[in-house]
Amino acid sequence: MKVLVAGSGGQLGRALAETRPAGVTLVAPAEAAFDIADPRAVESVVRREAPDLLINAAAYTAVDRAESERDRATLLNGTAAGWLAEAAARTRAGFVHVSTDFVFDGTAGTPYRPEDTPHPLGVYGETKLAGERAVLAAHGQALLVRTAWVYAARGQNFMNTMLRLMAERDEVRVVSDQIGTPTNAASLARAIWRLTAHGATGIFHWTDAGVASWYDFAVAILEEALAQGLLSSAVPIIPIRTEDYPTPARRPAYSVLDKSATWAITGPARHWRVELREALARVGGTLA
């Protein structure tokens, strides 16, 4: 099977390459060679490569900056997602699109199911929801996977930011009243491969197992990094409220996703702390 990946240079794009199953030929052009913001480039690359499957791992993910860059976020998360789906449909390729827990407002008291009604709080979530709708309208057999709190050994993400701050500062203050689930990019990539192998279409949710606040996640990063020798000493981690750390974009207070339908196909995910341990081991490998 020939698979074309948009966004090959991001955390998920790299993870898809690292976890690709036997029998998969992966075509992963650099951003300059596969500019999803240019509909002519999208059409040209998809027609030239003629993939069996196109995976959109590209996105505008700067949640706070999106509040002042709505047009750019809309182009990449919404309009371009539709162009990719249309190109895949015209060439009879399957299509996978990755979305986010930020399409929900965080007012639920139980995990969000794929069929629950989205209600985003900010521009990032709004543009991702627009992308979902464009994809589903353009490609009748698309697979849409919502995920949350994605991180990897390389790239700009919460885990790597915490490692840097814990090495630089005398204390770190982290929000403790936003609840979700950390997700290793490698875990997400493996789930996507399993879902596509099963021929899944429609909306599915995937994160690692368990729940955490950002504070819980930070504490776990500290403990695991100390155990692996990535940090030489512990620093205090201070829990704070969302109102104590104002940001341009509002975040959902509770964005745990219900993965039961996905796990019925893929098998259950591992706990997020197990995945964190493995991701940190990869950080150690890059430092060696």
Side-chain angles (χ1 to χ4, degrees), residues 88-274:
R90 280 192 291 269
T91 55
R92 300 182 182 275
F95 188 69
V96 179
H97 180 68
V98 180
S99 193
T100 174
D101 58 326
F102 272 57
V103 299
F104 298 114
D105 60 16
T107 60
T110 56
Y112 284 98
R113 300 168 300 173
E115 63 269 25
D116 285 340
T117 302
H119 184 234
L121 295 176
V123 171
Y124 170 68
E126 290 169 2
T127 60
K128 291 298 288 182
L129 179 58
E132 290 187 6
R133 290 171 173 165
V135 165
L136 295 174
H139 197 300
Q141 298 299 310
L143 168 63
L144 197 154
V145 182
R146 293 186 184 127
T147 190
W149 297 24
V150 178
Y151 66 93
R154 289 190 294 157
Q156 294 184 346
N157 56 63
F158 183 81
M159 181 185 76
N160 287 331
T161 297
M162 286 296 106
L163 289 174
R164 175 176 58 80
L165 294 178
M166 290 168 185
E168 295 174 352
R169 297 187 179 180
D170 295 329
E171 68 175 31
V172 179
R173 300 164 66 83
V174 183
V175 169
S176 63
D177 57 358
Q178 294 174 21
I179 308 299
T181 306
T183 305
N184 186 357
S187 167
L188 173 60
R190 289 190 294 266
I192 289 172
W193 289 126
R194 291 190 205 114
L195 286 167
T196 56
H198 187 271
T201 61
I203 302 175
F204 287 82
H205 287 172
W206 177 272
T207 66
D208 292 328
V211 237
S213 67
W214 290 109
Y215 169 76
D216 296 326
F217 191 16
V219 169
I221 292 167
L222 175 63
E223 292 175 354
E224 297 292 348
L226 287 169
Q228 295 190 30
L230 296 174
L231 295 172
S232 58
S233 60
V235 297
I237 302 177
I238 312 300
I240 61 173
R241 297 171 299 179
T242 296
E243 63 193 62
D244 297 325
Y245 186 72
T247 57
R250 293 172 61 199
R251 268 80 169 165
Y254 179 91
S255 61
V256 178
L257 300 177
D258 184 324
K259 284 82 64 177
S260 54
T262 312
W263 290 357
I265 296 172
T266 64
R270 297 189 297 178
H271 192 272
W272 65 264
R273 185 136 184 176
V274 175

Side-chain angles (χ1 to χ4, degrees), residues 15 42 47 49 57 69 207 212 239 253 258 263 276:
V42 168
R47 286 198 174 278
E49 298 298 340
E69 295 184 356
T207 66
D258 184 324
W263 290 357
L276 171 63

Side-chain angles (χ1 to χ4, degrees), residues 17-89:
E18 293 165 357
T19 60
R20 71 183 181 274
V24 168
T25 299
L26 198 69
V27 180
E31 181 180 348
F34 193 9
D35 181 5
I36 68 168
D38 180 350
R40 291 171 299 180
V42 168
E43 186 71 20
S44 174
V45 172
V46 175
R47 286 198 174 278
R48 183 183 71 239
E49 298 298 340
D52 300 297
L53 177 68
L54 170 56
I55 302 178
N56 181 24
Y60 180 108
T61 57
V63 175
D64 288 321
R65 197 162 67 241
E67 295 296 312
S68 58
E69 295 184 356
R70 177 182 288 272
D71 289 348
R72 182 66 176 170
T74 299
L75 173 60
L76 295 178
N77 290 342
T79 310
W83 289 335
L84 287 164
E86 289 169 359

